[in-house]
Amino acid sequence: STGSAQTNPEKNDVEYLTPVSIGTPGQVLNLDLDTGSSDLWVFSSLTTSSQVNGQTLYDPTKSTTANQLQGYTWQISYGDGSSSSGDVYTDTVTVGGVTFSAQAVQVAKTVSSEFTSDPANHGLLGMGFGSINTVEPVAQKTFFDNIMPDLDLPLFTADLKRSAPGRYNFGYIDPSAYKGEITYVPVDNDSGFWAWTSPAYAIGSRNFGNTTLKGIADTGASLFLLPSAAVSEYYGAVFGAKYDRSQGAFTVPCDASAPDFTFVVGDHGATITVPGNYIKYAPIDDAGKTCFGGIQLDTGIGFSIFGDVALKSAFVVFNGGNRTIGWATK
Ligand SMILES: N[C@H]1[C@H](O)[C@@H](Sc2ccccc2)[C@@H]2OC[C@H]1O2
């Protein structure tokens, strides 16, 4: 089988939401497909009502194919401090025309304020590795794990775009979605993430250094989080850039000329270039004078995060069959 689903950016591309059908008859929720986590959880009829704010709710009692996993629970905390928890059902789930009939659907009973505050986000669909699924007493498989054996090819692709709809494809590679060759590199999934290492990076037209970037490809993260040496070198090249302690982040003048950020993929010279304009991420003042930086520090995480600012500059193949990640320009 193969499938294809359009994914739609929220304001400032802070996340990308994809319609997912759950249950019989189908209840369509817009979910954040997240390669940086491995739980499929949804706002539901069981979610504490004071924590619901316009989100579409999955109601298992309205689905003839829902079955509760009695006594199973889950609780997840994300890198940005948000969290959610609840119970577990199985039900039929369809994304982009690909269906799995007994998918673990984690219904939220509690969600943190970051989730409550966004009516458009009805939950997450994790596409990381199964080892970090939080369901107790038995971890559950991700949607991708479940459909992989039936896919023509054991992979999915992410084609995110700046402030425009993009696409997640399952089981095939669309040759019209990228230019040149796809360069594949090994993924180390010991952490449960799509972790890989870039051998070097360059800022603007400067020469490549020899500092490797060890990071994860995370479709659920908005920004490009890098080591302080890379971040300082980058913003040192942007006139008017500064670290704004009140924001706890680097900002740039929205009218600054921002250099591109290029990272190497593999050892035969392939590169991906993040346009400087993507790093003038979003205005933080009404006048649109000051912009939030799309590159920020990865301090304390232990690895870098190739979030949407990096991913939307490429066509990315997540191959679960041979555990590689492929990058191509587009
Ligand atoms: N993998 C990512 C995940 O999808 C989000 S969870 C999230 C939180 C609030 C709003 C939307 C999504 C969080 O930021 C980075 C990492 O954790």
PDB file of all heavy atoms in Angstrom, residues 242-265:
ATOM      1  N   LYS A 242      20.772  39.823  18.447  1.00  0.00           N
ATOM      2  CA  LYS A 242      21.173  39.861  19.857  1.00  0.00           C
ATOM      3  C   LYS A 242      20.503  38.731  20.617  1.00  0.00           C
ATOM      4  O   LYS A 242      19.520  38.153  20.162  1.00  0.00           O
ATOM      5  CB  LYS A 242      20.821  41.205  20.489  1.00  0.00           C
ATOM      6  CG  LYS A 242      19.345  41.530  20.601  1.00  0.00           C
ATOM      7  CD  LYS A 242      19.197  42.909  21.248  1.00  0.00           C
ATOM      8  CE  LYS A 242      17.809  43.247  21.693  1.00  0.00           C
ATOM      9  NZ  LYS A 242      16.827  43.247  20.617  1.00  0.00           N
ATOM     10  N   TYR A 243      21.079  38.390  21.777  1.00  0.00           N
ATOM     11  CA  TYR A 243      20.424  37.445  22.660  1.00  0.00           C
ATOM     12  C   TYR A 243      19.520  38.254  23.586  1.00  0.00           C
ATOM     13  O   TYR A 243      19.987  39.110  24.340  1.00  0.00           O
ATOM     14  CB  TYR A 243      21.439  36.647  23.488  1.00  0.00           C
ATOM     15  CG  TYR A 243      20.762  35.585  24.339  1.00  0.00           C
ATOM     16  CD1 TYR A 243      20.334  34.396  23.763  1.00  0.00           C
ATOM     17  CD2 TYR A 243      20.499  35.810  25.691  1.00  0.00           C
ATOM     18  CE1 TYR A 243      19.683  33.437  24.522  1.00  0.00           C
ATOM     19  CE2 TYR A 243      19.839  34.859  26.455  1.00  0.00           C
ATOM     20  CZ  TYR A 243      19.435  33.673  25.863  1.00  0.00           C
ATOM     21  OH  TYR A 243      18.772  32.737  26.612  1.00  0.00           O
ATOM     22  N   ASP A 244      18.220  38.037  23.472  1.00  0.00           N
ATOM     23  CA  ASP A 244      17.250  38.791  24.262  1.00  0.00           C
ATOM     24  C   ASP A 244      16.910  37.986  25.513  1.00  0.00           C
ATOM     25  O   ASP A 244      16.201  36.966  25.434  1.00  0.00           O
ATOM     26  CB  ASP A 244      15.993  39.002  23.406  1.00  0.00           C
ATOM     27  CG  ASP A 244      14.913  39.757  24.171  1.00  0.00           C
ATOM     28  OD1 ASP A 244      14.942  39.735  25.423  1.00  0.00           O
ATOM     29  OD2 ASP A 244      14.044  40.353  23.522  1.00  0.00           O
ATOM     30  N   ARG A 245      17.454  38.441  26.661  1.00  0.00           N
ATOM     31  CA  ARG A 245      17.297  37.658  27.882  1.00  0.00           C
ATOM     32  C   ARG A 245      15.839  37.546  28.284  1.00  0.00           C
ATOM     33  O   ARG A 245      15.421  36.545  28.884  1.00  0.00           O
ATOM     34  CB  ARG A 245      18.126  38.280  29.014  1.00  0.00           C
ATOM     35  CG  ARG A 245      19.619  37.960  28.814  1.00  0.00           C
ATOM     36  CD  ARG A 245      20.478  38.964  29.546  1.00  0.00           C
ATOM     37  NE  ARG A 245      19.991  39.088  30.917  1.00  0.00           N
ATOM     38  CZ  ARG A 245      20.714  38.754  31.990  1.00  0.00           C
ATOM     39  NH1 ARG A 245      21.926  38.277  31.814  1.00  0.00           N
ATOM     40  NH2 ARG A 245      20.243  38.890  33.195  1.00  0.00           N
ATOM     41  N   SER A 246      15.037  38.545  27.925  1.00  0.00           N
ATOM     42  CA  SER A 246      13.616  38.444  28.322  1.00  0.00           C
ATOM     43  C   SER A 246      12.928  37.333  27.509  1.00  0.00           C
ATOM     44  O   SER A 246      12.024  36.664  27.992  1.00  0.00           O
ATOM     45  CB  SER A 246      12.920  39.784  28.085  1.00  0.00           C
ATOM     46  OG  SER A 246      12.756  39.996  26.688  1.00  0.00           O
ATOM     47  N   GLN A 247      13.395  37.135  26.293  1.00  0.00           N
ATOM     48  CA  GLN A 247      12.822  36.053  25.460  1.00  0.00           C
ATOM     49  C   GLN A 247      13.554  34.735  25.715  1.00  0.00           C
ATOM     50  O   GLN A 247      13.055  33.673  25.359  1.00  0.00           O
ATOM     51  CB  GLN A 247      13.000  36.395  23.968  1.00  0.00           C
ATOM     52  CG  GLN A 247      12.297  37.642  23.499  1.00  0.00           C
ATOM     53  CD  GLN A 247      10.843  37.380  23.141  1.00  0.00           C
ATOM     54  OE1 GLN A 247      10.454  36.257  22.872  1.00  0.00           O
ATOM     55  NE2 GLN A 247      10.042  38.411  23.177  1.00  0.00           N
ATOM     56  N   GLY A 248      14.779  34.826  26.271  1.00  0.00           N
ATOM     57  CA  GLY A 248      15.615  33.620  26.402  1.00  0.00           C
ATOM     58  C   GLY A 248      15.934  33.070  25.029  1.00  0.00           C
ATOM     59  O   GLY A 248      15.964  31.858  24.809  1.00  0.00           O
ATOM     60  N   ALA A 249      16.150  33.995  24.099  1.00  0.00           N
ATOM     61  CA  ALA A 249      16.356  33.561  22.703  1.00  0.00           C
ATOM     62  C   ALA A 249      17.055  34.654  21.913  1.00  0.00           C
ATOM     63  O   ALA A 249      17.080  35.820  22.313  1.00  0.00           O
ATOM     64  CB  ALA A 249      14.999  33.251  22.061  1.00  0.00           C
ATOM     65  N   PHE A 250      17.625  34.259  20.799  1.00  0.00           N
ATOM     66  CA  PHE A 250      18.244  35.205  19.867  1.00  0.00           C
ATOM     67  C   PHE A 250      17.146  35.815  18.998  1.00  0.00           C
ATOM     68  O   PHE A 250      16.222  35.108  18.565  1.00  0.00           O
ATOM     69  CB  PHE A 250      19.272  34.499  18.986  1.00  0.00           C
ATOM     70  CG  PHE A 250      20.548  34.153  19.697  1.00  0.00           C
ATOM     71  CD1 PHE A 250      20.672  32.965  20.402  1.00  0.00           C
ATOM     72  CD2 PHE A 250      21.631  35.034  19.688  1.00  0.00           C
ATOM     73  CE1 PHE A 250      21.841  32.650  21.076  1.00  0.00           C
ATOM     74  CE2 PHE A 250      22.810  34.726  20.352  1.00  0.00           C
ATOM     75  CZ  PHE A 250      22.919  33.538  21.055  1.00  0.00           C
ATOM     76  N   THR A 251      17.285  37.131  18.771  1.00  0.00           N
ATOM     77  CA  THR A 251      16.388  37.821  17.851  1.00  0.00           C
ATOM     78  C   THR A 251      17.244  38.537  16.807  1.00  0.00           C
ATOM     79  O   THR A 251      18.448  38.763  17.002  1.00  0.00           O
ATOM     80  CB  THR A 251      15.533  38.876  18.580  1.00  0.00           C
ATOM     81  OG1 THR A 251      16.419  39.878  19.135  1.00  0.00           O
ATOM     82  CG2 THR A 251      14.691  38.246  19.684  1.00  0.00           C
ATOM     83  N   VAL A 252      16.592  38.830  15.671  1.00  0.00           N
ATOM     84  CA  VAL A 252      17.274  39.571  14.600  1.00  0.00           C
ATOM     85  C   VAL A 252      16.344  40.674  14.113  1.00  0.00           C
ATOM     86  O   VAL A 252      15.117  40.549  14.251  1.00  0.00           O
ATOM     87  CB  VAL A 252      17.627  38.643  13.411  1.00  0.00           C
ATOM     88  CG1 VAL A 252      18.579  37.547  13.832  1.00  0.00           C
ATOM     89  CG2 VAL A 252      16.358  38.044  12.788  1.00  0.00           C
ATOM     90  N   PRO A 253      16.881  41.751  13.566  1.00  0.00           N
ATOM     91  CA  PRO A 253      16.010  42.741  12.938  1.00  0.00           C
ATOM     92  C   PRO A 253      15.307  42.077  11.745  1.00  0.00           C
ATOM     93  O   PRO A 253      15.964  41.360  10.962  1.00  0.00           O
ATOM     94  CB  PRO A 253      16.976  43.827  12.460  1.00  0.00           C
ATOM     95  CG  PRO A 253      18.237  43.596  13.245  1.00  0.00           C
ATOM     96  CD  PRO A 253      18.304  42.128  13.504  1.00  0.00           C
ATOM     97  N   CYS A 254      14.007  42.269  11.627  1.00  0.00           N
ATOM     98  CA  CYS A 254      13.274  41.587  10.536  1.00  0.00           C
ATOM     99  C   CYS A 254      13.761  42.052   9.164  1.00  0.00           C
ATOM    100  O   CYS A 254      13.583  41.336   8.171  1.00  0.00           O
ATOM    101  CB  CYS A 254      11.777  41.837  10.657  1.00  0.00           C
ATOM    102  SG  CYS A 254      11.053  41.131  12.155  1.00  0.00           S
ATOM    103  N   ASP A 255      14.425  43.206   9.105  1.00  0.00           N
ATOM    104  CA  ASP A 255      14.907  43.673   7.785  1.00  0.00           C
ATOM    105  C   ASP A 255      16.399  43.380   7.602  1.00  0.00           C
ATOM    106  O   ASP A 255      17.016  43.841   6.641  1.00  0.00           O
ATOM    107  CB  ASP A 255      14.629  45.164   7.608  1.00  0.00           C
ATOM    108  CG  ASP A 255      15.379  45.999   8.648  1.00  0.00           C
ATOM    109  OD1 ASP A 255      16.126  45.406   9.472  1.00  0.00           O
ATOM    110  OD2 ASP A 255      15.213  47.248   8.653  1.00  0.00           O
ATOM    111  N   ALA A 256      16.967  42.600   8.515  1.00  0.00           N
ATOM    112  CA  ALA A 256      18.403  42.277   8.372  1.00  0.00           C
ATOM    113  C   ALA A 256      18.596  41.352   7.178  1.00  0.00           C
ATOM    114  O   ALA A 256      17.674  40.640   6.771  1.00  0.00           O
ATOM    115  CB  ALA A 256      18.902  41.572   9.641  1.00  0.00           C
ATOM    116  N   SER A 257      19.813  41.385   6.619  1.00  0.00           N
ATOM    117  CA  SER A 257      20.109  40.369   5.604  1.00  0.00           C
ATOM    118  C   SER A 257      20.736  39.207   6.364  1.00  0.00           C
ATOM    119  O   SER A 257      21.791  39.347   6.992  1.00  0.00           O
ATOM    120  CB  SER A 257      21.054  40.932   4.543  1.00  0.00           C
ATOM    121  OG  SER A 257      22.340  41.068   5.070  1.00  0.00           O
ATOM    122  N   ALA A 258      20.035  38.088   6.398  1.00  0.00           N
ATOM    123  CA  ALA A 258      20.478  36.934   7.196  1.00  0.00           C
ATOM    124  C   ALA A 258      21.133  35.902   6.280  1.00  0.00           C
ATOM    125  O   ALA A 258      20.550  35.551   5.252  1.00  0.00           O
ATOM    126  CB  ALA A 258      19.274  36.312   7.900  1.00  0.00           C
ATOM    127  N   PRO A 259      22.324  35.425   6.646  1.00  0.00           N
ATOM    128  CA  PRO A 259      22.989  34.440   5.787  1.00  0.00           C
ATOM    129  C   PRO A 259      22.275  33.098   5.826  1.00  0.00           C
ATOM    130  O   PRO A 259      21.549  32.787   6.760  1.00  0.00           O
ATOM    131  CB  PRO A 259      24.389  34.324   6.405  1.00  0.00           C
ATOM    132  CG  PRO A 259      24.234  34.731   7.819  1.00  0.00           C
ATOM    133  CD  PRO A 259      23.124  35.747   7.839  1.00  0.00           C
ATOM    134  N   ASP A 260      22.500  32.301   4.782  1.00  0.00           N
ATOM    135  CA  ASP A 260      21.985  30.939   4.768  1.00  0.00           C
ATOM    136  C   ASP A 260      22.764  30.118   5.778  1.00  0.00           C
ATOM    137  O   ASP A 260      23.869  30.480   6.185  1.00  0.00           O
ATOM    138  CB  ASP A 260      22.158  30.318   3.372  1.00  0.00           C
ATOM    139  CG  ASP A 260      21.367  31.075   2.310  1.00  0.00           C
ATOM    140  OD1 ASP A 260      20.471  31.858   2.687  1.00  0.00           O
ATOM    141  OD2 ASP A 260      21.665  30.880   1.111  1.00  0.00           O
ATOM    142  N   PHE A 261      22.175  28.966   6.169  1.00  0.00           N
ATOM    143  CA  PHE A 261      22.907  28.003   7.011  1.00  0.00           C
ATOM    144  C   PHE A 261      22.909  26.687   6.242  1.00  0.00           C
ATOM    145  O   PHE A 261      21.847  26.160   5.927  1.00  0.00           O
ATOM    146  CB  PHE A 261      22.215  27.819   8.371  1.00  0.00           C
ATOM    147  CG  PHE A 261      22.989  26.928   9.317  1.00  0.00           C
ATOM    148  CD1 PHE A 261      23.841  27.473  10.261  1.00  0.00           C
ATOM    149  CD2 PHE A 261      22.893  25.534   9.231  1.00  0.00           C
ATOM    150  CE1 PHE A 261      24.572  26.647  11.129  1.00  0.00           C
ATOM    151  CE2 PHE A 261      23.624  24.714  10.071  1.00  0.00           C
ATOM    152  CZ  PHE A 261      24.460  25.273  11.023  1.00  0.00           C
ATOM    153  N   THR A 262      24.083  26.184   5.932  1.00  0.00           N
ATOM    154  CA  THR A 262      24.203  24.959   5.111  1.00  0.00           C
ATOM    155  C   THR A 262      24.812  23.841   5.942  1.00  0.00           C
ATOM    156  O   THR A 262      25.835  24.053   6.605  1.00  0.00           O
ATOM    157  CB  THR A 262      25.084  25.230   3.883  1.00  0.00           C
ATOM    158  OG1 THR A 262      24.463  26.263   3.106  1.00  0.00           O
ATOM    159  CG2 THR A 262      25.223  23.973   3.027  1.00  0.00           C
ATOM    160  N   PHE A 263      24.180  22.664   5.937  1.00  0.00           N
ATOM    161  CA  PHE A 263      24.787  21.520   6.639  1.00  0.00           C
ATOM    162  C   PHE A 263      25.045  20.398   5.642  1.00  0.00           C
ATOM    163  O   PHE A 263      24.329  20.233   4.648  1.00  0.00           O
ATOM    164  CB  PHE A 263      23.925  21.040   7.825  1.00  0.00           C
ATOM    165  CG  PHE A 263      22.498  20.681   7.517  1.00  0.00           C
ATOM    166  CD1 PHE A 263      22.149  19.377   7.150  1.00  0.00           C
ATOM    167  CD2 PHE A 263      21.492  21.632   7.612  1.00  0.00           C
ATOM    168  CE1 PHE A 263      20.831  19.035   6.893  1.00  0.00           C
ATOM    169  CE2 PHE A 263      20.160  21.303   7.358  1.00  0.00           C
ATOM    170  CZ  PHE A 263      19.820  20.004   6.987  1.00  0.00           C
ATOM    171  N   VAL A 264      26.095  19.639   5.918  1.00  0.00           N
ATOM    172  CA  VAL A 264      26.537  18.552   5.040  1.00  0.00           C
ATOM    173  C   VAL A 264      25.769  17.279   5.403  1.00  0.00           C
ATOM    174  O   VAL A 264      25.460  17.027   6.569  1.00  0.00           O
ATOM    175  CB  VAL A 264      28.055  18.323   5.200  1.00  0.00           C
ATOM    176  CG1 VAL A 264      28.510  17.097   4.405  1.00  0.00           C
ATOM    177  CG2 VAL A 264      28.828  19.562   4.741  1.00  0.00           C
ATOM    178  N   VAL A 265      25.441  16.507   4.367  1.00  0.00           N
ATOM    179  CA  VAL A 265      24.799  15.198   4.562  1.00  0.00           C
ATOM    180  C   VAL A 265      25.680  14.145   3.892  1.00  0.00           C
ATOM    181  O   VAL A 265      25.927  14.227   2.682  1.00  0.00           O
ATOM    182  CB  VAL A 265      23.389  15.173   3.929  1.00  0.00           C
ATOM    183  CG1 VAL A 265      22.737  13.801   4.122  1.00  0.00           C
ATOM    184  CG2 VAL A 265      22.504  16.264   4.551  1.00  0.00           C
TER     185      VAL A 265
END
